[in-house]
Amino acid sequence: MLSGDDLPTGAVTFLFTDIEGSTQLWEKDPEAMRSALRIHDGIVESSVGDHDGVVFKTGGDSFCASFSNPLQALNASLAAQRGLQTTDWETDGPIMARMGLHTGTAQIRGNDYFGPTLNRAARLMSAGHGGQVLLSASTQQLVVDELPTGVTLVGLGTHYLKDLDRPETIYQVEADGLAGEFAPLEIVKKRGENAGQAAAQAYKDKEWHKVVDRLAGIEAESELTAEQHEMMGFALWWLGDHDVVIRRFEQTYNAYIAEENPQGAAVAAVELAEFHTHNLASQIAAGWVRRAERLLEGDKASTAAGYLLRWKAVQAFEGENDLDKALELSRDVAEIGRANADGNLEVLALQDQGRFLVASGNLDEGMPLMDEAMISAVAGDVNPNVVGRSYCNMLAVCDQTGDVRRAAEWSEAAERWCSEGESSAYPGVCRIFKAEVMWQNGDWVGAESEVMRASTELGLYTDISGEAWYQFGVMRLRAGDDQGAENAFQEALTRGREPIPGYAYVLAHQDQLESAIDLLVRSLSSPSLSKLDRARFLPALIELGLESGDTEAPTAATNELEEISRLARSDFFRAQASHGRGIVALATGDPEAIAHLKEAVTTFSRLGLPYESARSRAELAKAYVADGADALATMELKAAKTALERLGSESDAKAVDEILTSSD
């Protein structure tokens, strides 16, 4: 019985054989075929054995043999072909076998081989015809100087074999007693077909580097299709290589025009408008929108028309602040998506409706729509770029509404979705929100790494890179690095993101408290701020207002924050309001300070927010001291200090330590 010890090792030459047209022969005369197969098997087995080869696998009418000596493998194939071609067959036609020889290394498992060398040998054999012997370049190089008399090797060119990415230079054996004329090679794919299929599969699998590599290989030899340009563009977007994304989508647009596909070109034009909008190039964006409108003139119902209409809905929301118009348009977009069975467009419209409703204060209808869109996104019902956009919009809305729990749940779901592909499969746009969730949960080192990576990846997303720099500034501020925070806020400002309320704290730390408060008041006076937007500024106004000795403005800010927490049904905003109520009570000598601050500590802790919880503990300790409960104060201060030191908030930890020291 064959064992692994009987198999050649090292550089092995494999001979694969297979009878051409055997199915038809079996159908016509099973009895004759059964007899012929025994003869065929005997010829092949003896040819292999006579030349020191080993048959390690058979299947139906196929043989797989291995040889230590490539010349012996060639001689075995010649002997087998001559034997088959000189036999008088009783079947309805001769038994003709195609054969392939390939040399390489392979690993042994039991009494068999496995590895890519075997795959290439099999594909090489399948490319031939009955009576034909094909050699790979590796085998040709080993035997070409020692060919038997009367044997020559004829080059058939370099080809891509089915399912294999690397091309193969193929040689045909010509010798006395063998047929010499054959049809063109079978099952051979051009690189464009093969690599194109591989790129499409890699895109589906979220293997972005593979997508780029496969398509770049095609592009080196021929033109990409418009769809392939688009696929390349989105893969580069996921990889954060935004500097070339615009150019790639311009190529997508031009390719669709060349293919006489105005709808595809219009969608590419809308994508370009979005990229330029994020890059703060509004006039260029408007130009691309006008081009899309001309391409779709008179078309109100196609998928492409839906994407153009979605652009207008988003602009009504973000540019015109017209929520009613935005909502009406997004509902029309959803109808177009359903009518065209375009799940991508429908999901985008659904989450647009959700965030528009939330912005108008209608969370009861808005948040369920956002959840529904995210279910479709992470379930794989839509393409990856729609998943990315949906995820980013969801976390932005969670941030706006103070919905910490929902943000954590969807962040975890998105993480699982991303982990199915490349480990780096997070576009820079989404890293900002991912970082914020990490930061809130106490992973400050990881959060800073994510947000800085986002700031370098975002490239053409000027406006969103401003948000990344702002988040980094907040992180530096909490870590006690005022100078680093100020620098980051300056970077945010140059990218169009006003660094408020973070910069107000920097001013306060620089003994410019009056300027800090004035900055907050001016920001809150903006008529474009929604109630939910105002929640970002109120905690700072409460803290800094109390620091200035004022209690009236902080009290009003606390009342407003409580109102917003009820509107958003946000435990996070409610905890912030409880913290604010507590420190206002502490400043005015109200004994209710303890109850308010205990509620803040409890809620922040339940939400998994260690920084906020620690700061409320420090304030609670002050309230205990005022109430004469020194032991309880010390307990809370020690817990706060431990948490802040663990997080890396040096300035806050130092402040708590000073309170502890003074109370000893």
Side-chain angles (χ1 to χ4, degrees):
M1 181 177 177
L2 182 67
S3 70
D5 294 336
D6 300 319
L7 301 178
T9 59
V12 179
T13 299
F14 292 95
L15 167 62
F16 279 44
T17 78
D18 177 60
I19 295 177
E20 184 178 46
S22 60
T23 301
Q24 292 85 347
L25 293 172
W26 277 105
E27 287 290 329
K28 290 179 179 179
D29 194 339
E31 287 300 321
M33 189 58 184
R34 191 173 291 109
S35 175
L37 192 59
R38 286 194 294 269
I39 297 172
H40 161 274
D41 291 353
I43 291 173
V44 175
E45 285 182 316
S46 62
S47 298
V48 171
D50 290 347
H51 294 86
D52 299 327
V54 177
V55 175
F56 62 89
K57 183 188 293 183
T58 61
D61 49 40
S62 300
F63 275 77
C64 302
S66 57
F67 299 79
S68 296
N69 187 320
L71 190 59
Q72 290 286 64
L74 174 62
N75 288 331
S77 68
L78 293 171
Q81 287 288 18
R82 285 169 176 148
L84 294 173
Q85 293 179 31
T86 56
T87 296
D88 292 327
W89 301 100
E90 297 180 0
T91 53
D92 186 28
I95 299 296
M96 303 288 286
R98 51 192 169 196
M99 301 183 183
L101 290 164
H102 175 54
T103 304
T105 59
Q107 296 184 350
I108 296 175
R109 180 183 294 159
N111 59 353
D112 197 0
Y113 295 92
F114 68 97
T117 298
L118 280 294
N119 298 333
R120 188 162 291 269
R123 293 306 188 199
L124 179 65
M125 179 269 294
S126 297
H129 300 277
Q132 190 173 30
V133 179
L134 299 177
L135 273 65
S136 68
S138 61
T139 303
Q140 182 267 349
Q141 291 173 8
L142 293 171
V143 302
V144 67
D145 294 330
E146 301 181 79
L147 293 174
T149 302
V151 176
T152 58
L153 302 179
V154 178
L156 300 181
T158 301
H159 305 272
Y160 280 85
L161 301 171
K162 183 181 180 183
D163 299 328
L164 301 182
D165 292 330
R166 181 172 58 81
E168 183 63 61
T169 302
I170 300 174
Y171 297 85
Q172 176 185 305
V173 179
E174 292 191 355
D176 296 337
L178 269 63
E181 297 294 330
F182 299 96
L185 297 175
E186 295 281 358
I187 322 176
V188 178
K189 300 287 185 181
K190 296 179 181 178
R191 178 177 176 83
E193 297 172 0
N194 204 35
Q197 292 171 358
Q201 185 61 47
Y203 189 84
K204 181 179 179 181
D205 295 338
K206 302 185 286 292
E207 297 289 344
W208 314 118
H209 283 100
K210 286 185 179 180
V211 174
V212 174
D213 289 345
R214 300 296 186 271
L215 294 178
I218 299 174
E219 196 169 29
E221 299 178 359
S222 61
E223 290 289 331
L224 294 181
T225 66
E227 186 177 357
Q228 288 171 335
H229 277 299
E230 186 174 44
M231 194 186 303
M232 174 83 92
F234 281 124
L236 292 167
W237 179 79
W238 276 95
L239 292 171
D241 195 0
H242 292 129
D243 291 339
V244 296
V245 169
I246 284 183
R247 175 56 185 154
R248 184 58 62 175
F249 273 91
E250 288 172 349
Q251 292 172 296
T252 301
Y253 172 84
N254 290 331
Y256 274 124
I257 292 295
E259 293 172 9
E260 299 183 355
N261 184 342
Q263 293 187 347
V267 173
V270 172
E271 290 288 351
L272 283 161
E274 181 174 345
F275 293 140
H276 284 294
T277 297
H278 285 303
N279 204 24
L280 307 183
S282 58
Q283 295 307 311
I284 298 176
W288 281 109
V289 170
R290 287 192 292 271
R291 186 163 290 187
E293 289 172 336
R294 283 198 298 273
L295 288 166
L296 297 174
E297 189 173 1
D299 179 357
K300 304 296 184 183
S302 69
T303 297
Y307 281 102
L308 177 58
L309 193 63
R310 178 182 181 258
W311 162 265
K312 294 180 179 180
V314 172
Q315 289 309 298
F317 174 63
E318 296 178 352
E320 303 168 26
N321 198 30
D322 189 338
L323 294 177
D324 291 337
K325 178 181 177 181
L327 189 57
E328 181 182 354
L329 291 176
S330 67
R331 286 170 176 156
D332 292 340
V333 173
E335 286 297 325
I336 293 174
R338 281 190 286 271
N340 289 279
D342 190 310
N344 296 307
L345 184 59
E346 190 173 356
V347 166
L348 287 171
L350 200 64
Q351 54 94 15
D352 283 340
Q353 290 177 53
R355 63 195 182 112
F356 299 164
L357 285 165
V358 168
S360 68
N362 188 348
L363 278 72
D364 287 339
E365 291 185 44
M367 292 312 298
L369 291 176
M370 296 290 294
D371 288 333
E372 184 181 348
M374 280 300 296
I375 287 290
S376 296
V378 299
D381 297 339
V382 295
N383 64 36
N385 56 297
V386 173
V387 176
R389 290 175 178 179
S390 298
Y391 171 59
C392 292
N393 285 331
M394 169 58 86
L395 289 194
V397 167
C398 288
D399 183 60
Q400 182 186 25
T401 59
D403 199 336
V404 176
R405 287 177 176 170
R406 186 182 255 109
E409 289 177 9
W410 282 121
S411 184
E412 183 179 348
E415 190 79 47
R416 288 195 300 271
W417 181 87
C418 284
S419 68
E420 295 171 1
E422 294 184 9
S423 59
S424 62
Y426 255 109
V429 174
C430 296
R431 288 189 189 280
I432 301 168
F433 300 110
K434 178 186 178 185
E436 189 168 359
V437 172
M438 294 170 69
W439 180 268
Q440 290 173 340
N441 292 337
D443 183 5
W444 286 20
V445 174
E448 284 204 13
S449 175
E450 286 292 330
V451 80
M452 284 310 298
R453 183 172 177 181
S455 68
T456 57
E457 282 182 355
L458 283 165
L460 60 93
Y461 285 87
T462 303
D463 58 343
I464 304 177
S465 67
E467 182 64 30
W469 278 106
Y470 177 77
Q471 292 295 344
F472 184 68
V474 172
M475 293 174 184
R476 287 289 82 212
L477 189 66
R478 290 188 178 182
D481 179 11
D482 283 1
Q483 186 59 59
E486 184 173 4
N487 293 341
F489 291 146
Q490 187 63 46
E491 288 286 349
L493 185 61
T494 61
R495 289 164 172 79
R497 204 300 190 185
E498 291 191 0
I500 317 297
Y503 187 60
Y505 284 102
V506 172
L507 290 175
H509 295 170
Q510 296 173 348
D511 296 325
Q512 300 182 62
L513 187 57
E514 185 176 338
S515 296
I517 295 172
D518 180 66
L519 195 61
L520 292 170
V521 171
R522 288 176 182 274
S523 296
L524 283 164
S525 66
S526 171
S528 64
L529 283 184
S530 68
K531 282 186 175 295
L532 292 173
D533 291 333
R534 292 176 64 83
R536 295 200 311 269
F537 303 93
L538 295 173
L541 185 60
I542 295 168
E543 291 183 27
L544 299 183
L546 288 174
E547 191 174 330
S548 72
D550 177 25
T551 58
E552 184 176 342
T555 299
T558 300
N559 291 337
E560 184 177 358
L561 195 53
E562 284 183 344
E563 179 189 348
I564 294 172
S565 75
R566 288 191 292 271
L567 168 69
R569 288 188 297 283
S570 167
D571 288 342
F572 176 65
F573 289 160
R574 183 166 59 82
Q576 285 186 316
S578 295
H579 178 91
R581 185 73 69 193
I583 60 177
V584 168
L586 184 60
T588 58
D590 185 345
E592 289 298 313
I594 292 176
H596 294 311
L597 290 166
K598 284 181 70 174
E599 182 182 353
V601 170
T602 300
T603 306
F604 281 137
S605 298
R606 189 174 70 250
L607 292 174
L609 304 174
Y611 178 75
E612 287 79 1
S613 177
R615 292 185 74 245
S616 291
R617 284 188 188 279
E619 296 298 331
L620 177 58
K622 295 177 185 177
Y624 277 137
V625 169
D627 198 48
D630 292 346
L632 290 175
T634 300
M635 180 180 68
E636 295 293 349
L637 286 169
K638 287 181 177 179
K641 179 184 176 184
T642 299
L644 292 167
E645 287 178 338
R646 185 182 297 119
L647 290 169
S649 182
E650 296 180 6
S651 58
D652 286 309
K654 183 179 179 181
V656 170
D657 191 52
E658 289 174 354
I659 300 173
L660 264 173
T661 302
S662 65
S663 63
D664 290 341

